[in-house]
Amino acid sequence: MEIVSEPDLRSPEEAGAYVRALQAVLRAVGASDGNMEQGSLRCDINVSVNRVGRPPGTRCEIKNLNSVKFMMAAITHEIHRQRAILESAPDIDMATVPQETRGFDEHRFETYKLRSKEDAPDYRYMPDPNLGELVLSKERVQAIRDTLPELPWETRQRLETDFGLSERDVEVLLRVDSGREVQYDGEISGSSSSAVAYFDRLCVGYNSKEGIRRSSKAVVNWMTHELLGQLASRKESFKDNHISVEQMGELIDMVQEKTITGTSGKLLLRYMLANPSQAPTRQIATELQLISFQASSDPASCGTSLFLPDLHTVCADAIAALPEEVASVRKGRKNVLNKIVGRVMKDTRGRADAPAVKALLEKMIVEEQ
């Protein structure tokens, strides 16, 4: 398939944005993965320069560019090359650029001549007598239009409007989706490989019976910062993610409900990526003894085998073990309180909520004074 655009682009940046948008559309409709480096998409560009108010100059075609970066570099070099030809001519009004087909040297970032074309007829445009005309009815075109999947700009608007995501977060999700696979028959691979679909299911899957969604901010933070970050550290991409929406959603819920701390949540996520399992997230967290100290103190939440003394008892033990630090706190040296907090966090193996520990310690020390 060949797509020919009108000569409406005025800079390398506009051309780059156009090709990236075209790639996104092709991927969204399942026509192609748009991978230029692997040959799924290539670009030929026509470049011409002219003075303001003058007719367009002679165009030169640069063939077979295989990345947006190289395409923009080729346009930039060609603009400078053609300007130099025109500005060095004795009579600038009579100066012309030879019409040529050129290639691009990826190492020197320069265009080079392939062959000359004296005039447009030299392109030898002519209809093929063995190919009939393809006629699509208006009804057929409308039917295709009505069944199109969500297009990139529609996805962007929905994520920003319905979920309140920032432009940066939307860019991250769409950039991940730009690398998803498109099958040979044009069918996009399952929704599990789509970051946007994964995000959608995480947000709407919390308490659908009551119409309650998870916090979109919490979901996108866990996806973009933690999940994608840990996948990157493993040299993996989103398509390698085997944590189901249900597992990831339960992990986010447990952190939001303070069943586990944020630190424990990150550790749990790392463990689940390294040890694929279909088990519920809560079960894995319980087996790893990551349930937060306050939640662990409730035998109904994780079983009597993990039942622990309440946080008040652990704080009391820390106060008794550090009498000098307690005395300093009572004299007004509030910074010393952090040492006692550290002792509690160590005793609970990081499963207590640090701000809650600090507030409880301060209260207990003041009351015992």
Side-chain angles (χ1 to χ4, degrees):
M1 177 173 63
E2 182 171 358
I3 300 173
V4 182
S5 65
E6 295 287 345
D8 295 329
L9 306 176
R10 294 293 179 265
S11 69
E13 292 74 21
E14 283 188 18
Y18 170 79
V19 173
R20 290 191 183 99
L22 181 60
Q23 286 176 308
V25 172
L26 293 173
R27 289 164 181 152
V29 301
S32 169
D33 61 15
N35 191 315
M36 298 184 70
E37 289 79 4
Q38 295 181 4
S40 302
L41 175 69
R42 292 293 172 92
C43 288
D44 299 339
I45 56 175
N46 287 281
V47 181
S48 66
V49 299
N50 61 277
R51 290 184 176 276
V52 177
R54 297 289 184 88
T58 304
R59 69 179 184 273
C60 290
E61 184 179 20
I62 308 171
K63 302 288 289 186
N64 208 29
L65 297 161
N66 64 354
S67 79
V68 174
K69 174 185 175 181
F70 291 152
M71 181 193 69
M72 294 174 64
I75 295 172
T76 300
H77 177 267
E78 189 62 16
I79 290 172
H80 289 300
R81 187 187 74 86
Q82 294 187 23
R83 285 187 61 182
I85 292 174
L86 297 176
E87 292 173 353
S88 63
D91 186 350
I92 194 168
D93 291 326
M94 300 298 294
T96 59
V97 174
Q99 186 170 348
E100 297 174 338
T101 298
R102 301 180 67 85
F104 180 69
D105 188 323
E106 299 175 359
H107 302 288
R108 302 177 63 182
F109 273 48
E110 295 178 353
T111 64
Y112 59 89
K113 180 179 177 179
L114 292 174
R115 58 184 178 273
S116 298
K117 289 187 180 295
E118 295 300 330
D119 204 348
D122 200 38
Y123 282 89
R124 293 185 173 84
Y125 293 133
M126 64 182 66
D128 188 324
N130 296 316
L131 295 178
E133 293 185 3
L134 178 62
V135 180
L136 296 177
S137 67
K138 293 182 179 180
E139 292 75 17
R140 175 60 174 161
V141 173
Q142 187 60 46
I144 294 173
R145 182 178 288 114
D146 292 341
T147 56
L148 282 175
E150 187 176 59
L151 297 176
W153 51 87
E154 296 171 336
T155 301
R156 179 185 299 277
Q157 183 177 14
R158 179 174 61 82
L159 292 175
E160 292 179 352
T161 303
D162 294 355
F163 293 98
L165 298 189
S166 67
E167 184 177 347
R168 175 195 171 278
D169 290 334
V170 173
E171 280 296 333
V172 171
L173 294 178
L174 294 180
R175 194 180 307 121
V176 172
D177 266 6
S178 70
R180 61 178 170 170
E181 295 180 355
V182 176
Q183 308 301 329
Y184 290 112
D185 59 1
E187 179 183 355
I188 298 175
S189 53
S191 61
S192 60
S193 66
S194 166
V196 172
Y198 195 86
F199 170 82
D200 285 336
R201 292 176 60 193
L202 278 174
C203 285
V204 302
Y206 179 49
N207 194 339
S208 55
K209 292 182 180 179
E210 298 182 14
I212 302 174
R213 300 195 307 195
R214 288 189 180 93
S215 164
S216 58
K217 188 62 178 176
V219 169
V220 79
N221 282 341
W222 274 95
M223 275 193 65
T224 59
H225 297 159
E226 305 306 331
L227 179 58
L228 294 179
Q230 293 199 26
L231 285 169
S233 70
R234 294 169 55 85
K235 295 181 171 34
E236 295 176 341
S237 63
F238 187 74
K239 67 180 180 181
D240 301 310
N241 172 41
H242 52 255
I243 298 178
S244 69
V245 171
E246 292 72 23
Q247 289 175 317
M248 191 68 194
E250 190 172 14
L251 188 153
I252 295 172
D253 294 342
M254 292 174 70
V255 174
Q256 294 294 99
E257 296 165 0
K258 300 189 183 302
T259 303
I260 59 177
T261 64
T263 301
S264 295
K266 296 173 185 178
L267 177 62
L268 179 58
L269 181 61
R270 189 179 305 116
Y271 177 87
M272 293 171 68
L273 286 172
N275 302 274
S277 170
Q278 299 299 317
T281 304
R282 184 177 294 269
Q283 177 183 328
I284 299 173
T286 302
E287 292 172 353
L288 296 176
Q289 297 188 5
L290 293 177
I291 302 297
S292 69
F293 202 74
Q294 292 163 301
S296 300
S297 301
D298 178 9
S301 68
C302 56
T304 55
S305 62
L306 289 177
F307 182 70
L308 299 170
D310 61 21
L311 192 57
H312 190 281
T313 302
V314 181
C315 287
D317 291 343
I319 290 172
L322 300 170
E324 294 182 4
E325 287 75 4
V326 171
S328 296
V329 172
R330 287 172 175 163
K331 292 178 181 178
R333 297 175 60 190
K334 297 293 185 181
N335 290 338
V336 181
L337 185 62
N338 292 330
K339 183 174 181 180
I340 309 175
V341 173
R343 172 62 180 262
V344 174
M345 297 303 292
K346 179 181 178 181
D347 291 344
T348 60
R349 294 191 297 124
R351 289 183 288 166
D353 181 63
V357 169
K358 187 172 185 178
L360 180 57
L361 283 171
E362 194 167 11
K363 179 181 178 182
M364 292 174 65
I365 291 173
V366 171
E367 287 179 351
E368 292 177 6
Q369 189 170 359

